């Protein structure tokens, strides 16, 4: 028993303590969070724009050219693996750019935007049609009705699935090692190959992801509850 | 004031709801439209402010052809209030904001002026104490009175009512009809789709009977209910009265 404990302690030391390796995990986590944070913001912006494009209709109810473009965008992004999108961005589209962070944020933001677009669209469609009819009947324009009436109500609808999308995005960033970014996953991988010791670094990284996402979940729950409260329902 | 010429509406599923409606609403008239469900009366009303786009035909409002695709319909709608069956108060806004949103955002009034005006209108329907409440805290009758006030805050030239009491509990119908009667007495031009025959008889200057997508009969309330001419109307009245 004691021998086993000593062995675990030694492995732990090699994985986290020796040569201040714990600092590497923190640095890696920083990279992961930075990519996820900016990609989430970019995804939210792109997603909202694409959703509004997809919802636009002509006066006769037919799809606009914008709606068609949005459809193609969503189809292409959802129809290809995000690893490939990242590699294409790194080696082809932005091959002259050596800033891995920028490429990663762009690639993940564009990817997330397609999923966010469908979430936002569903959230907007879930707002009762009478709300926009009432707005329009008062003389408000389409966009005024959207901004003052529909979107504030849609935000409440989309919060749970958006939270889910953020979580997926955070974990998806684990593939940035492909474009030579040293995030949390790659850090763990490097340390395990350097120390010939896979267990501690990999499980350690998994625990860190888990804790971060748990914190994110709790925060989102709180936000959701607060929004529901102001609902007076 | 509103002239409708040969109005047709065909929905995408080829449901031909309006089959050539002609009518002329004059200033100050209170037109009440009755008819069985599916007769096209709501669709007709919703065409008047282009919430439904007519398939063909013309609608003129104050000398402007509003079915012209080039016209700015938002500007026209500022002058046409509409009250819906399901109230459609803005759920995310307080009662005060519900009423002042459109006048303020459309720059017809300053914020303070709009608030003052809203309070005046609220006292007219006896709901001043609800200014800071949210729609979800009100009863159906209160919601509908607020919805009327919200439309009135735009100083419309005409008010359209789309079955305003149909979604209400019976004991709340009266309070909404009272507000509508008062509005009628104040000289507002009104077009009302309703199943309230008592209201039609009492308030209407003209009563229309719609069925199968056309106006089948049009008359003063006394004649309309006293001696209906077409058979469909006689049949309809025998069922609802």
């Amino acid at each position: 028993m004691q021998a086993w404990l000593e062995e675990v302690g030694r492995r732990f030391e090699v994985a986290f303590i020796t040569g201040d390796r714990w600092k590497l995990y923190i640095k890696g986590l920083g990279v992961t969070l930075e990519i996820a944070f900016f990609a989430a913001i970019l995804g939210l912006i792109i997603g909202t724009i694409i959703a509004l494009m997809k919802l636009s209709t002509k006066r006769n109810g037919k799809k606009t050219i914008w709606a068609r473009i949005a459809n193609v965008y969503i189809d292409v992004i959802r129809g290809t693996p995000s690893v490939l999108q990242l590699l294409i961005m790194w080696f082809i589209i932005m091959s002259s750019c050596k800033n891995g962070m920028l490429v990663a944020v762009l690639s993940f933001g564009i990817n997330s935007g397609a999923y966010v677009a469908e979430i936002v669209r569903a959230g907007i469609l879930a707002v009762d049609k009478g709300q926009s009819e009432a707005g329009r009947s008062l003389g408000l324009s389409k966009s005024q009705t959207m901004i003052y009436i529909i979107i504030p109500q849609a935000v409440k609808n989309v919060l749970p699935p958006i939270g889910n999308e953020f979580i997926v995005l955070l974990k998806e960033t684990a593939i940035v090692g492909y474009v030579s970014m040293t995030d949390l996953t790659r850090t763990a991988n490097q340390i395990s190959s350097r120390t010939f010791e896979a267990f501690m670094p990999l499980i350690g990284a998994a625990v860190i992801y888990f804790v971060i996402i748990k914190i994110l979940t709790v925060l989102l729950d709180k936000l959701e509850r607060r929004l529901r409260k102001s609902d007076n329902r | 004031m509103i002239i409708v010429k040969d109005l047709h509406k065909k929905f995408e599923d080829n449901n031909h709801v309006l089959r050539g409606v002609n009518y002329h609403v004059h200033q100050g008239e209170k037109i009440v439209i009755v008819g069985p469900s599916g007769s096209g009366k709501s669709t007709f009303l919703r065409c008047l402010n282009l919430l439904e786009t007519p398939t063909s035909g013309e609608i003129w409002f104050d000398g402007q052809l509003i079915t012209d695709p080039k016209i700015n319909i938002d500007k026209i709608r500022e002058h046409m209030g509409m009250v819906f069956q399901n109230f459609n108060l803005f759920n995310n806004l307080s009662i005060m904001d519900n009423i002042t949103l459109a006048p303020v955002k459309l720059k017809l009034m300053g914020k303070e002026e709009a608030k003052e005006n809203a309070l005046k209108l609220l006292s007219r329907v006896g709901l001043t104490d609800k200014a800071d409440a949210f729609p979800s805290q009100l009863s159906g009758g209160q919601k509908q009175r607020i919805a009327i006030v919200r439309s009135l805050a735009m100083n419309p030239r005409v008010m359209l009512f789309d079955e305003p009491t149909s979604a209400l509990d019976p004991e709340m119908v009266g309070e909404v009809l009272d507000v509508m009667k008062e509005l009628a007495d104040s000289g507002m031009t009104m077009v009302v789709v309703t199943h309230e025959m008592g209201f039609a008889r009492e308030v209407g200057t003209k009563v229309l009977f719609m069925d199968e997508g056309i106006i089948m009969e049009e008359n003063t309330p006394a004649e309309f209910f006293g001696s209906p001419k077409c058979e469909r109307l006689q049949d309809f009245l025998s069922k609802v009265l």
Side-chain angles (χ1 to χ4, degrees):
Chain A
M1 182 66 188
Q2 194 172 0
W4 182 80
L5 270 180
E6 263 170 28
E7 175 64 9
V8 169
R10 189 194 63 77
R11 286 182 174 196
F12 187 86
E13 201 182 322
V14 167
F16 297 106
I17 313 291
T18 315
D20 278 349
R21 289 205 172 112
W22 57 274
K23 283 185 180 162
L24 296 176
Y25 293 93
I26 289 178
K27 225 173 132 198
L29 177 63
V31 171
T32 294
L33 290 179
E34 194 177 340
I35 296 171
F37 179 76
F38 289 108
I41 290 175
L42 184 63
L44 213 50
I45 294 168
I46 293 178
T48 307
I49 293 170
I50 294 290
L52 293 176
M53 281 168 66
K54 192 166 171 180
L55 284 169
S56 62
T57 48
K58 285 189 206 161
R59 208 171 169 166
N60 57 15
K62 293 227 171 73
K63 275 185 196 162
T64 60
I65 179 78
W66 301 111
R68 283 169 212 280
I69 293 172
N71 267 332
V72 170
Y73 174 84
I74 292 171
D75 276 353
V76 169
I77 296 297
R78 289 203 303 193
T80 52
S82 47
V83 184
L84 270 180
Q85 290 165 15
L86 183 66
L87 290 174
I88 290 169
M89 189 64 93
W90 179 239
F91 287 113
I92 303 172
I93 299 175
M94 298 187 63
S95 58
S96 59
C97 171
K98 292 293 154 241
N99 186 343
M101 176 61 74
L102 181 66
V103 170
V105 167
L106 274 179
S107 182
F108 286 116
I110 289 169
N111 179 276
S112 181
Y115 295 91
V116 171
E118 289 297 74
I119 293 171
V120 171
R121 190 172 69 93
I124 288 174
L125 288 177
V127 177
D128 181 33
K129 200 165 165 251
Q131 296 284 310
S132 77
E133 283 185 350
R136 298 305 305 278
S137 80
L138 288 165
L140 295 171
S141 70
K142 236 181 190 176
S143 51
Q144 283 172 324
T145 305
M146 233 350 145
I147 293 167
Y148 300 119
I149 300 161
I150 308 299
I151 290 183
Q153 295 184 53
V155 166
K156 270 175 225 170
N157 295 338
V158 302
L159 205 62
I162 283 285
N164 190 45
E165 170 59 23
F166 285 166
I167 288 169
V168 170
L169 174 62
L170 181 70
K171 290 184 295 180
E172 192 117 299
T173 59
I175 59 174
V176 286
Y178 277 98
V179 297
S180 66
M181 292 290 292
T182 311
D183 71 324
L184 181 56
T185 300
R186 194 166 189 233
T187 302
N189 199 14
Q190 282 174 343
I191 290 174
S192 78
S193 54
R194 201 172 306 151
T195 58
F196 304 106
E197 187 67 72
F199 185 86
M200 282 291 172
L202 296 186
I203 297 296
V207 168
I208 297 173
Y209 275 110
F210 179 84
V211 169
I212 295 290
I213 284 167
K214 188 70 204 170
I215 293 171
L216 191 61
T217 308
V218 170
L219 289 178
L220 283 165
D221 274 353
K222 271 207 176 123
L223 182 61
E224 196 186 328
R225 234 171 300 143
R226 244 194 31 217
L227 283 180
R228 294 256 169 252
K229 220 181 264 170
S230 73
D231 231 6
N232 293 305
R233 247 177 263 190
Chain B
M1 182 187 229
I2 304 177
I3 303 170
V4 180
K5 286 182 190 163
D6 196 31
L7 193 70
H8 284 260
K9 175 69 186 179
K10 213 183 218 174
F11 283 105
E12 272 158 37
D13 53 2
N14 249 339
N15 189 3
H16 202 157
V17 183
L18 296 181
R19 300 165 179 265
V21 178
N22 293 285
Y23 201 71
H24 189 158
V25 182
H26 296 89
Q27 172 103 41
E29 279 189 316
K30 294 96 181 70
I31 309 296
V32 182
I33 306 173
V34 301
S37 55
S39 59
K41 53 193 194 305
S42 275
T43 306
F44 171 59
L45 191 77
R46 289 162 57 84
C47 278
L48 293 183
N49 66 353
L50 297 196
L51 278 186
E52 299 290 352
T53 315
T55 311
S56 68
E58 292 180 355
I59 301 170
W60 295 77
F61 176 66
D62 277 344
Q64 269 181 299
L65 179 64
I66 64 171
T67 39
D68 182 345
K70 284 191 286 285
I71 206 134
N72 180 359
I73 187 60
D74 296 336
K75 271 268 165 272
I76 304 290
R77 286 184 182 137
E78 288 180 11
H79 306 291
M80 300 173 120
M82 186 164 206
V83 175
F84 299 85
Q85 183 175 350
N86 294 318
F87 330 126
N88 295 342
L89 293 183
F90 305 135
N91 295 325
N92 57 319
L93 300 177
S94 71
I95 298 309
M96 180 54 81
D97 290 340
N98 260 277
I99 300 169
T100 57
L101 178 75
V104 171
K105 294 300 173 195
L106 296 169
K107 303 204 164 57
L108 304 179
M109 288 180 200
K111 226 175 182 160
E112 286 310 309
E113 189 192 356
K115 267 191 179 168
E116 248 170 64
N117 186 41
L119 284 174
K120 231 179 274 164
L121 289 166
L122 280 174
S123 74
R124 215 167 123 187
V125 298
L127 290 172
T128 320
D129 55 325
K130 299 292 182 194
D132 297 320
F134 276 79
S136 53
Q137 299 165 321
L138 304 184
S139 72
Q142 291 172 331
K143 282 185 201 175
Q144 197 61 300
R145 279 142 71 196
I146 299 290
I148 294 172
V149 164
R150 180 177 65 180
S151 288
L152 289 178
M154 294 291 293
N155 290 321
R157 307 247 299 118
V158 54
M159 286 283 286
L160 312 175
F161 292 84
D162 188 5
E163 303 199 23
T165 57
S166 297
L168 293 175
D169 289 340
E171 77 262 33
M172 291 172 183
V173 172
E175 62 189 67
V176 171
L177 290 182
D178 286 344
V179 171
M180 291 170 64
K181 277 175 205 162
E182 196 229 283
L183 187 59
D185 291 339
S186 74
M188 177 65 73
T189 310
M190 293 162 69
V191 183
V192 185
V193 171
T194 187
H195 294 294
E196 294 292 328
M197 296 302 151
F199 179 84
R201 203 191 298 249
E202 197 181 327
V203 178
T205 52
K206 283 275 172 60
V207 186
L208 311 188
F209 176 66
M210 278 190 79
D211 196 16
E212 292 168 19
I214 55 166
I215 297 172
M216 285 211 166
E217 189 155 337
E218 174 214 338
N219 224 325
T220 59
E223 288 285 312
F224 187 91
F225 291 104
S227 51
K229 284 173 201 72
C230 82
E231 213 172 295
R232 279 292 291 123
L233 176 56
Q234 289 164 3
D235 183 45
F236 176 76
L237 289 177
S238 74
K239 279 178 190 150
V240 297
L241 289 180

